[in-house]
Amino acid sequence: MTSHLSGPVTAPGGRRPRLPGPRTPREVATALDSFRDSVAAGMSHLHHTYGPVAALGIGPLRWTFLFGTDANELVLGNTENFEFSYGGLQAIAGDTALVALPNAENRTMRQLLRPLFDREHVDAYADRVLDRVRDRLAAWPQNTTVDAYTELRLAVRLASVDSFIGPGVLNREGNTLDTTLEQLHTVLNRSSILTLLVWNAPRLGRLRLRKPLSRIDRVVHAEITRRRAGATPTPDPIDPIGFLLRPGIYPELPAGDHTVRDTVVSLLIASYDPTSSALGWSLYGLLANPEVLAEAKREVARELGDEPVRAATARRLKYLGHVVAEAIRVHPPVVASARHCVKGFEVHGHRIPAGSRLMLSQFTSHRSPDSWPDPERFDPDRWDRTGTATAAVPPAAYFPYGSPRRRCPGSGMAAVIVPAVLAAVLQAGDITLADDHPPRLDGFAALRPKAGLPVRVHQPH
């Protein structure tokens, strides 16, 4: 295929130009250092230094980075030529997980799993998260500093295990399962050029993660056995394992119990990691902007009063929804979208050969002055749909959970959970940032504050 993007496709003399990117040892070292800071910083460095197209690495480490809404539209709009490619997630989730399936099979599986993402299931999951969050908030001592990001992340992770593997699993496994999940995400999220290699080579990723993966597999397959034996009652609303074991569903799975396992693990990944990221950055956006915090408090008091927030009532909190939308614009949970091109194509005057690994950047797209007025300013009002701001934003300029056709399956859950948890935090008492400096960025699969989010706990309400 050939793109419609402008630019010469040959250099003088008929030769095709080399792709821009670091050439000298010093340039390569600078680029690698920027990725060690964070993947977001690495992509920003390549964009600012080399323009809309930049190549980095050699052999299995080679990636071509494309920046800008034109390239986003080209790649995200052509699923036939640009296959979804998230080897790092595939290493953990498995070959029949949603993140690993080719586009056509992915669409079929998403259709099969659609009932798990209806309002009843989303609200049940959100309410489990809220219960865990309130347990954590109640344990925060006054006049001390706590890491709000780590605390909220723990609450989401525990609720995810309850919801996606089954009730009672945490009681049987103790802290082992929780520790194992964090080990997996630590490797997956490490800001390093080596992470790109893992994302290109799922087998290498599985080799590095074989011990924690074996523990996860043991737990999930044991729960499948318990369900079949009737040892664990299937909760209501039905959870993924109970749903997938239904007689009308199980025969449709491509690999039986392996698909049950892969689906459960992929849902765990898709739920707590991006949701935790959105929670952390949304809370930071609130606390770092006093006028935004004041308006959010007024909305919670007006809409909820003394009523503890639940998933159903959180949908009233429109302004908090705008806060979340703005927070994940500035700090998108998914900072990069990976693709594999089936056929060669041309973009911005450069020929990209078939088989190339591509990276699009939500982080740079969401901060581009070409699409966003005053992009560095935190402004929830730009999402007020009674105005005109959102209508002016090209769809390819904002995709915090991935492209519409391969969007993270946890995105709909996060849209309910994050405003609800923010409301629960506001209802619990007053907290302030313990550090005036903006958090350093970290993470590959999900953007996170490198040193957490330290907050000072004040008088409860």
Side-chain angles (χ1 to χ4, degrees), residues 68-103:
T69 55
D70 286 343
N72 293 344
E73 289 175 356
L74 171 68
V75 174
L76 300 178
N78 190 328
T79 57
E80 297 302 319
N81 193 57
F82 300 101
E83 284 280 359
F84 195 78
S85 176
Y86 271 97
L89 293 177
Q90 184 180 346
I92 293 175
D95 294 332
T96 64
L98 281 172
V99 296
L101 293 174
N103 290 326

Side-chain angles (χ1 to χ4, degrees), residues 148-149 152-153 156 269-286 320-335 378 398 400-401 408 410-422 442 445-449 453:
Y149 170 76
L152 296 177
R153 180 179 172 85
V156 175
I269 294 170
S271 59
Y272 93 80
D273 211 21
T275 300
S276 301
S277 172
L279 265 176
W281 293 117
S282 297
L283 184 58
Y284 173 72
L286 276 179
L320 271 180
H322 298 161
V323 170
V324 175
E326 181 69 348
I328 61 178
R329 179 190 69 82
V330 180
H331 295 102
V334 181
V335 296
F378 188 86
Y398 183 76
Y401 293 107
C408 171
S411 60
M413 300 177 186
V416 177
I417 292 168
V418 180
V421 171
L422 293 178
D442 193 21
L447 189 67
R448 59 187 177 183
L453 187 63

Side-chain angles (χ1 to χ4, degrees), residues 59-179:
L61 268 177
R62 184 175 176 83
W63 286 87
T64 300
F65 294 83
L66 305 180
F67 303 104
T69 55
D70 286 343
N72 293 344
E73 289 175 356
L74 171 68
V75 174
L76 300 178
N78 190 328
T79 57
E80 297 302 319
N81 193 57
F82 300 101
E83 284 280 359
F84 195 78
S85 176
Y86 271 97
L89 293 177
Q90 184 180 346
I92 293 175
D95 294 332
T96 64
L98 281 172
V99 296
L101 293 174
N103 290 326
E105 295 174 38
N106 179 275
R107 288 192 293 271
T108 300
M109 193 66 179
R110 281 175 181 263
Q111 185 67 27
L112 189 70
L113 297 177
R114 179 175 289 183
L116 291 176
F117 302 101
D118 64 18
R119 183 164 180 161
E120 181 185 20
H121 285 83
V122 168
D123 284 3
Y125 175 47
D127 285 340
R128 290 190 188 104
V129 172
L130 284 168
D131 290 341
R132 291 285 187 176
V133 164
R134 290 193 180 94
D135 289 343
R136 303 308 303 174
L137 293 174
W140 290 5
Q142 295 180 41
N143 301 317
T144 60
T145 298
V146 301
D147 181 352
Y149 170 76
T150 298
E151 287 283 295
L152 296 177
R153 180 179 172 85
L154 173 61
V156 175
R157 189 165 65 249
L158 296 178
S160 296
V161 173
D162 288 338
S163 298
F164 298 129
I165 300 182
V169 170
L170 289 169
N171 290 336
R172 291 193 297 273
E173 297 295 326
N175 293 328
T176 302
L177 180 59
D178 183 60
T179 301

Side-chain angles (χ1 to χ4, degrees), residues 250-271:
Y250 188 82
E252 302 298 320
L253 304 182
D257 283 5
H258 291 293
T259 300
V260 177
R261 177 267 177 209
D262 291 353
T263 301
V264 168
V265 174
S266 64
L267 288 176
L268 276 171
I269 294 170
S271 59

Side-chain angles (χ1 to χ4, degrees), residues 10-25:
T10 58
R15 291 176 286 103
R16 292 190 182 278
R18 295 175 65 187
L19 294 181
R23 300 269 192 271
T24 68

Side-chain angles (χ1 to χ4, degrees), residues 275-354:
T275 300
S276 301
S277 172
L279 265 176
W281 293 117
S282 297
L283 184 58
Y284 173 72
L286 276 179
L287 300 181
N289 296 276
E291 71 286 355
V292 174
L293 178 62
E295 178 59 31
K297 287 182 175 180
R298 286 192 291 269
E299 179 182 61
V300 171
R302 180 178 67 250
E303 296 295 333
L304 301 180
D306 295 330
E307 175 189 4
V309 64
R310 303 300 288 175
T313 57
R315 290 184 170 85
R316 304 176 198 163
L317 305 174
K318 304 301 183 184
Y319 185 74
L320 271 180
H322 298 161
V323 170
V324 175
E326 181 69 348
I328 61 178
R329 179 190 69 82
V330 180
H331 295 102
V334 181
V335 296
S337 286
R339 294 294 187 273
H340 167 264
C341 70
V342 179
K343 298 179 181 179
F345 66 103
E346 293 166 359
V347 58
H348 290 299
H350 299 283
R351 180 71 181 176
I352 313 297

Side-chain angles (χ1 to χ4, degrees), residues 180-392:
T180 299
L181 286 170
E182 277 298 87
Q183 287 176 344
L184 292 175
H185 279 85
T186 296
V187 173
L188 191 63
N189 265 321
R190 185 170 293 132
S191 293
S192 167
I193 196 66
L194 292 178
T195 306
L196 292 175
L197 176 60
V198 173
W199 279 52
N200 255 353
R203 291 182 180 178
L204 176 61
R206 291 190 186 111
L207 182 63
R208 295 181 67 202
L209 297 168
R210 61 186 183 278
K211 289 185 178 179
L213 281 175
S214 67
R215 289 195 289 269
I216 293 289
D217 290 351
R218 177 186 59 77
V219 170
V220 174
H221 284 293
E223 185 64 14
I224 293 171
T225 300
R226 290 177 63 85
R227 297 297 181 91
R228 286 202 173 104
T232 298
T234 296
D236 186 25
I238 199 167
D239 65 358
I241 291 180
F243 175 80
L244 293 170
L245 292 180
R246 283 179 166 182
I249 301 295
Y250 188 82
E252 302 298 320
L253 304 182
D257 283 5
H258 291 293
T259 300
V260 177
R261 177 267 177 209
D262 291 353
T263 301
V264 168
V265 174
S266 64
L267 288 176
L268 276 171
I269 294 170
S271 59
Y272 93 80
D273 211 21
T275 300
S276 301
S277 172
L279 265 176
W281 293 117
S282 297
L283 184 58
Y284 173 72
L286 276 179
L287 300 181
N289 296 276
E291 71 286 355
V292 174
L293 178 62
E295 178 59 31
K297 287 182 175 180
R298 286 192 291 269
E299 179 182 61
V300 171
R302 180 178 67 250
E303 296 295 333
L304 301 180
D306 295 330
E307 175 189 4
V309 64
R310 303 300 288 175
T313 57
R315 290 184 170 85
R316 304 176 198 163
L317 305 174
K318 304 301 183 184
Y319 185 74
L320 271 180
H322 298 161
V323 170
V324 175
E326 181 69 348
I328 61 178
R329 179 190 69 82
V330 180
H331 295 102
V334 181
V335 296
S337 286
R339 294 294 187 273
H340 167 264
C341 70
V342 179
K343 298 179 181 179
F345 66 103
E346 293 166 359
V347 58
H348 290 299
H350 299 283
R351 180 71 181 176
I352 313 297
S356 295
R357 299 284 185 177
L358 310 176
M359 278 282 183
L360 306 179
S361 174
Q362 284 96 319
F363 187 81
T364 59
S365 297
H366 289 193
R367 293 167 175 245
S368 171
D370 294 335
S371 301
W372 306 94
D374 197 3
E376 298 297 325
R377 181 166 60 95
F378 188 86
D379 181 15
D381 288 337
R382 71 172 89 228
W383 298 98
D384 184 353
R385 295 189 181 276
T386 61
T388 60
T390 53

